[in-house]
Amino acid sequence: MSEENKKSEKRTWLQRLSILLGVAISAVIIGASYRLSSFEDAVESIVRIEVPAGVLAELPTTPQRQSSENDKSVINEKVETFTEELKPHPAGPARNILLVGTDSAVGLDPDDPAANRDRSAGIGLADTIMIVRLDPALAKATIMSLPRDLYVTIYRDAVPVRSEKLASALLVGGLEKGAPTLVETISSNFDVPIHNFAIVDFFGFEKLVDELDGVPLWFPYPVRDVASGLIVLEAGCTTLDGRDSLAFVRSRKMEAFIDGNWNRVGAWNDLERNQRQQDFLIRTIQRAVNKGARSVLVQDGLIRAGAEAVVLDDRLSIAELLKLGRAFSDFEPSNLVRTLLPVVDAFIGSSEVLQLGEGAEASFGVFRGEALNPND
């Protein structure tokens, strides 16, 4: 074969390879476009609640720097180094998102232990209440549970309605009006700005867990809770499906089988249950990450299940979700910072409730963006 023919054949193979690469890249781009379009369609289908003006806090338009005592000494020494304008993070400033789990039983099978609830659409107590603070600039996430039995003044349209347990704020006007009422009650009682909220009911929770093929948990002993329907017969790692997971996070009277007898676990109160719920949330996020949830190109089914299960406020747009997703794309669930809200037992009349304890202001200060003393 002549040298010229060899060069011609080489060019031909290079051209073929280029064509194949071009086709492959085009296929990836088309597939990615389809998945992104599917993602947008799913997010657009999320039920949203219209929130009256002034209920949700406005995000600050300029970045703010919180100074500790150490910062102040540095400022005094080198004032000129702090004159440079701070550039805002692409995902925006820190925001507080209220996560609410309702005890609505709509959609559950009649034999589900959690189905013994009011099945009326839009009716339910706030069974789980958490505040999550996302700080994109620091790639930091902080969570704190608010016990549902906290005794507060319920606010609606800036008017005090009555004093009651925090969970009942969601009953005011059903879900559509109850969600803004819960937000307003929290911000009014605790001076904590809420920028967005997300709500899921029992049925949506179960569907999300089942979409993940369950969530693995480790138990040192067999456990049960007759009231919630939880039953784990063997010690060790057990993967809980949606129904069993719901029984676990709802459990208030857990027992462990030790030395041949069922023994009470912990204090049987909402504070321990809140800690278990946070544990479960972290493991669920890790499970989702392991399933490929960092990419919308992988877990289309999970995105659709989430879109069908959750209800959002009308301000949390696709663009905002994508910006937050990019900012926290490398976030490790184990790095979620957990803040404990101190509370104490109290009686109001004949009703057993919880009230804020010593140190509560410091806990709320974290979600106000206040700097902490380094000694704390």
Side-chain angles (χ1 to χ4, degrees):
M1 182 181 294
S2 67
E3 190 67 27
E4 186 175 342
N5 287 339
K6 288 181 179 179
K7 290 180 180 179
S8 175
E9 183 177 353
K10 185 176 181 181
R11 282 197 301 271
T12 301
W13 279 108
L14 287 173
Q15 290 168 351
R16 290 176 181 174
L17 181 59
S18 298
I19 292 172
L20 286 173
L21 286 173
V23 170
I25 292 172
S26 298
V28 170
I29 292 174
I30 292 171
S33 299
Y34 169 76
R35 284 300 184 91
L36 286 172
S37 175
S38 177
F39 167 77
E40 290 187 1
D41 290 343
V43 176
E44 287 286 3
S45 70
I46 294 175
V47 176
R48 295 178 182 272
I49 293 176
E50 186 175 351
V51 182
V55 173
L56 291 173
E58 297 293 334
L59 287 168
T61 55
T62 56
Q64 298 178 348
R65 178 185 176 87
Q66 300 294 339
S67 299
S68 67
E69 292 300 320
N70 287 344
D71 288 332
K72 292 176 183 178
S73 64
V74 174
I75 292 174
N76 291 334
E77 294 174 5
K78 299 181 180 180
V79 177
E80 66 277 5
T81 61
F82 287 88
T83 58
E84 181 182 353
E85 182 180 355
L86 292 173
K87 294 182 179 179
H89 191 278
R95 72 174 70 205
N96 295 328
I97 300 177
L98 185 67
L99 305 182
V100 182
T102 80
D103 65 359
S104 169
V106 175
L108 294 181
D109 292 333
D111 62 341
D112 193 313
N116 188 22
R117 289 289 188 280
D118 192 331
R119 288 170 174 262
S120 303
I123 299 297
L125 293 168
D127 195 59
T128 300
I129 309 167
M130 300 179 183
I131 305 176
V132 177
R133 184 171 181 82
L134 300 179
D135 192 334
L138 300 177
K140 180 180 178 181
T142 308
I143 189 170
M144 181 172 72
S145 293
L146 300 180
R148 61 183 184 177
D149 288 343
L150 267 179
Y151 192 75
V152 297
T153 300
I154 295 175
Y155 284 84
R156 180 179 174 187
D157 300 329
V159 176
V161 177
R162 63 176 182 268
S163 293
E164 184 56 90
K165 292 180 180 180
L166 181 60
S168 67
L170 204 63
L171 289 174
V172 180
L175 183 60
E176 190 169 331
K177 294 182 179 179
T181 300
L182 179 60
V183 169
E184 191 174 353
T185 296
I186 290 172
S187 58
S188 297
N189 281 273
F190 310 131
D191 193 25
V192 171
I194 302 297
H195 302 99
N196 300 105
F197 62 75
I199 301 172
V200 65
D201 61 13
F202 284 171
F203 182 60
F205 175 89
E206 290 189 3
K207 286 185 64 178
L208 281 171
V209 173
D210 286 336
E211 186 63 36
L212 292 171
D213 298 322
V215 174
L217 296 176
W218 188 83
F219 297 93
Y221 307 99
V223 296
R224 73 177 185 183
D225 186 324
V226 177
S228 73
L230 175 67
I231 180 71
V232 177
L233 297 176
E234 296 183 2
C237 189
T238 299
T239 299
L240 302 182
D241 62 14
R243 181 180 293 193
D244 291 335
S245 294
L246 182 59
F248 174 78
V249 299
R250 290 182 56 235
S251 174
R252 301 180 72 184
K253 298 181 178 180
M254 189 177 293
E255 297 175 305
F257 193 72
I258 305 173
D259 297 332
N261 294 296
W262 288 104
N263 298 280
R264 176 173 175 169
V265 174
W268 283 8
N269 62 24
D270 269 351
L271 303 184
E272 287 191 353
R273 192 182 79 137
N274 288 344
Q275 294 303 305
R276 283 198 295 270
Q277 290 171 346
Q278 291 183 12
D279 290 338
F280 186 84
L281 177 63
I282 292 172
R283 284 161 176 75
T284 302
I285 296 172
Q286 187 61 63
R287 179 72 160 181
V289 169
N290 294 341
K291 290 280 186 177
R294 293 195 192 277
S295 171
V296 298
L297 306 182
V298 178
Q299 279 297 322
D300 185 68
L302 178 58
I303 292 169
R304 290 193 172 278
E308 293 172 1
V310 74
V311 175
L312 301 178
D313 65 90
D314 59 350
R315 288 203 329 198
L316 197 53
S317 65
I318 291 179
E320 292 293 313
L321 289 170
L322 287 173
K323 285 194 296 184
L324 287 171
R326 283 192 291 267
F328 288 88
S329 60
D330 297 325
F331 183 79
E332 290 298 327
S334 58
N335 292 333
L336 181 66
V337 179
R338 302 206 280 185
T339 299
L340 180 66
L341 179 65
V343 294
V344 294
D345 293 318
F347 278 92
I348 303 295
S350 60
S351 180
E352 187 174 356
V353 300
L354 294 173
Q355 294 181 327
L356 297 181
E358 184 178 354
E361 276 301 301
S363 297
F364 285 125
V366 174
F367 297 86
R368 300 176 188 134
E370 298 171 359
L372 295 178
N373 186 307
N375 293 330
D376 295 335

